[in-house]
Amino acid sequence: MHGEYKIPGGKLVVVDLEVEDGVLRHVRVAGDFFLEPDDAFLALGTSLEGAPSDTDAAGLAARIEAALPEGTVMYGLTAEGVGVAVRRALAHATDWTDYDWQLIHEGPQSPALHMALDEVITAEVAAGLRPPTLRVWEWAAPAVVIGSFQSLRNEVDADAAREHGIEVVRRISGGGAMFCEPGNTITYSLSVPAALVQGLSFADSYAYLDDWVLGALGDMGIKAWYQPLNDIATDAGKIAGAAQKRMTGGDGAVLHHVTMAYDIDAEKMVDVLRIGREKLSDKGTTSAKKRVDPLRRQTGLPRETVIERMIDSFRVRHGLTAGQVTEDELSTAHHLARTKFSTPEWTGRVP
């Protein structure tokens, strides 16, 4: 069995192993990490010999840490990362390079249609009817997008939203409310086969699927990192938030979408969103306006250039060919936008 795991912010770990009578045998660990002394490298594999094959990543990491020589120095490598690579090998997980990725980047669409397209495209990936897809959004209208389980009245000031002409929609994934305006927001979705995140915990899958965009931001001179559970941050503040939805049917798929603040009308955002002091208390700030630091200021680049460089970075790392939403997918999405995502029943399903 073969498993690979790119440690977020670190290096690639590759594990090959066999399972005999329910335990790990012939475990071999490799990668482009740095490790001293050499005896520590031997311990990576030998410490896992005989481990029950149902041991979780934390348990495998504990075995490794107990076997490492005193004074071991690891760079770009963690014991937990090796454990995750083992779990991915056992789960027969796939890698980014196992797929032919498709890009969808089309003209502005309504907020409700974007919600529907996420559901339709990810269901198509789960059914094996389309390749794994990176979809970059263009917004036709300003919107507040609330999480699947959020209370509508607790999150949004409905009167302020109407006054500013902002549509409120509910997405199928969990997480918090997002304030989005055309020209000020960069949003993208990854619709990926479930096999790509096999062996990863829910939290680890966020970091794994965000890793490419951290690299893209680094290429633009922004030192960014994944901040559990679902934020991307820099020294200047949060720049993005992610959310996920696991889809059943076929071989399964994961929807991972991210909204990034290119620029922001902070006064309007605070007017429309009911961001309470309790939510801000663990963010190290007393003002909602200070929670988000836009990419425009950090990069000095036009929004279109930031998007172009992100796409180019993905293409270099994983390969990417241009595609489009099919007529059938668009028809289904329009139907869902009308009958689900534009209805008071769905938007207010948690009043």
Side-chain angles (χ1 to χ4, degrees), residues 185-227:
T185 305
I186 297 173
T187 305
Y188 68 85
S189 302
L190 284 170
S191 297
V192 308
L196 182 64
V197 296
Q198 286 293 339
L200 298 179
S201 68
F202 189 74
D204 285 340
S205 71
Y206 273 85
Y208 185 68
L209 294 176
D210 280 340
D211 194 58
W212 75 273
V213 81
L214 299 185
L217 292 169
D219 294 341
M220 288 181 271
I222 301 176
K223 183 180 179 182
W225 58 85
Y226 162 73
Q227 186 168 290

Side-chain angles (χ1 to χ4, degrees), residues 65-291:
E65 289 169 350
L68 290 173
E70 186 176 351
T72 294
V73 176
M74 295 187 286
Y75 181 76
L77 175 70
T78 63
E80 180 76 16
V82 177
V84 171
V86 170
R87 294 308 316 166
R88 284 175 60 76
L90 293 166
H92 303 285
T94 54
D95 185 67
W96 294 87
T97 55
D98 292 329
Y99 300 104
D100 294 323
W101 292 87
Q102 185 174 109
L103 169 69
I104 294 175
H105 187 194
E106 299 182 340
Q109 291 159 322
S110 71
L113 185 59
H114 278 306
M115 303 303 109
L117 283 169
D118 264 358
E119 180 170 332
V120 171
I121 288 172
T122 307
E124 294 284 281
V125 172
L129 298 176
R130 75 152 32 249
T133 300
L134 167 65
R135 185 171 73 90
V136 179
W137 302 21
E138 295 294 345
W139 293 89
V144 166
V145 183
I146 61 174
S148 182
F149 312 111
Q150 287 189 295
S151 164
L152 177 60
R153 70 167 70 98
N154 288 349
E155 297 298 326
V156 183
D157 184 319
D159 292 336
R162 280 192 295 270
E163 179 183 340
H164 291 294
I166 294 173
E167 183 177 350
V168 181
V169 291
R170 186 185 295 274
R171 61 181 183 266
I172 60 173
S173 62
M178 307 301 294
F179 178 77
C180 306
E181 293 185 293
N184 284 354
T185 305
I186 297 173
T187 305
Y188 68 85
S189 302
L190 284 170
S191 297
V192 308
L196 182 64
V197 296
Q198 286 293 339
L200 298 179
S201 68
F202 189 74
D204 285 340
S205 71
Y206 273 85
Y208 185 68
L209 294 176
D210 280 340
D211 194 58
W212 75 273
V213 81
L214 299 185
L217 292 169
D219 294 341
M220 288 181 271
I222 301 176
K223 183 180 179 182
W225 58 85
Y226 162 73
Q227 186 168 290
L229 169 70
N230 62 332
D231 287 349
I232 297 174
T234 71
D235 286 331
K238 173 181 172 179
I239 58 175
Q244 284 188 8
K245 174 67 176 179
R246 306 297 169 106
M247 307 281 281
T248 58
D251 293 326
V254 176
L255 168 65
H256 179 92
H257 42 200
V258 174
T259 293
M260 312 178 78
Y262 172 73
D263 205 347
I264 195 163
D265 185 332
E267 295 288 347
K268 189 185 297 183
M269 178 185 74
V270 174
D271 198 23
V272 174
L273 293 184
R274 300 184 188 277
I275 303 176
R277 291 182 179 179
E278 182 66 25
K279 184 171 184 178
L280 295 172
S281 64
D282 65 345
K283 305 296 184 182
T285 180
T286 57
S287 171
K289 301 175 189 177
K290 297 179 182 177
R291 291 186 61 208

